[in-house]
């Protein structure tokens, strides 16, 4: 069983930066697709980024050029560096593991991910 623990959320002003971390326990996830999602109350959970085990990463259009996902397989950890934050980036952020080598074209769909963290809140004020 994979346990995912996110950290690094907080409150920041627009234009600021945050770095989220997602540590995996109980299983080595270096061979799996890992993703970041976010959700605001009343809306669907949306894909933000997903990274293959080889480091190739895809992003939602809304965060391209501002967010960077990376992984440290030695530490069994996924990161999300978020720069130039906007109020519309405010959400609960979740990391997830999809037990496949490739994230594939439907990486943004939450139904394909088997393991989820508890989430970390990001609040961006204008």
């Amino acid at each position: 069983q994979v346990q995912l623990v996110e950290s690094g959320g907080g409150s920041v002003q627009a234009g600021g930066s945050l770095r989220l971390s997602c540590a995996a326990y109980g299983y080595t996830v270096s061979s799996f697709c890992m993703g970041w999602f976010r959700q605001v109350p009343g809306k669907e959970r949306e894909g933000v980024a997903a990274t293959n085990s080889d480091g190739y990463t895809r992003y939602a259009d809304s965060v391209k050029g501002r967010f960077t996902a990376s992984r440290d397989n030695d530490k069994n950890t996924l990161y999300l560096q978020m720069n130039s934050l906007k109020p519309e980036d405010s959400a609960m952020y979740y990391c997830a593991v999809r037990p496949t080598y490739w994230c594939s074209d439907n990486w943004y769909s939450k139904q394909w991910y088997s393991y989820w963290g508890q989430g970390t809140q990001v609040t961006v004020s204008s």
Side-chain angles (χ1 to χ4, degrees):
Q1 186 75 6
V2 178
Q3 182 182 8
L4 303 173
V5 180
E6 301 99 333
S7 61
S11 297
V12 65
Q13 288 192 323
S17 299
L18 284 172
R19 188 192 193 206
L20 307 184
S21 298
C22 171
Y25 300 94
Y27 200 88
T28 299
V29 295
S30 59
S31 298
F32 294 154
C33 165
M34 296 187 73
W36 285 103
F37 287 75
R38 64 187 181 187
Q39 188 171 22
V40 296
K43 291 192 174 181
E44 287 290 314
R45 190 169 297 188
E46 63 172 0
V48 174
T51 176
N52 290 342
S53 59
D54 64 359
Y56 177 76
T57 305
R58 307 179 194 216
Y59 297 93
D61 288 344
S62 59
V63 306
K64 278 181 182 176
R66 299 187 300 120
F67 290 12
T68 302
S70 61
R71 59 197 298 168
D72 185 333
N73 287 333
D74 289 338
K75 294 183 178 179
N76 226 25
T77 300
L78 179 71
Y79 303 99
L80 185 67
Q81 177 66 43
M82 305 186 295
N83 299 329
S84 302
L85 282 161
K86 304 175 181 179
E88 52 264 43
D89 293 319
S90 297
M92 185 71 79
Y93 282 72
Y94 300 89
C95 69
V97 169
R98 173 175 178 168
T100 58
Y101 188 84
W102 302 110
C103 293
S104 114
D105 291 343
N106 56 13
W107 66 268
Y108 51 84
S109 180
K110 65 182 187 298
Q111 69 183 83
W112 300 108
Y113 293 78
S114 301
Y115 304 100
W116 293 85
Q118 82 290 347
T120 186
Q121 179 68 40
V122 171
T123 302
V124 184
S125 58
S126 57

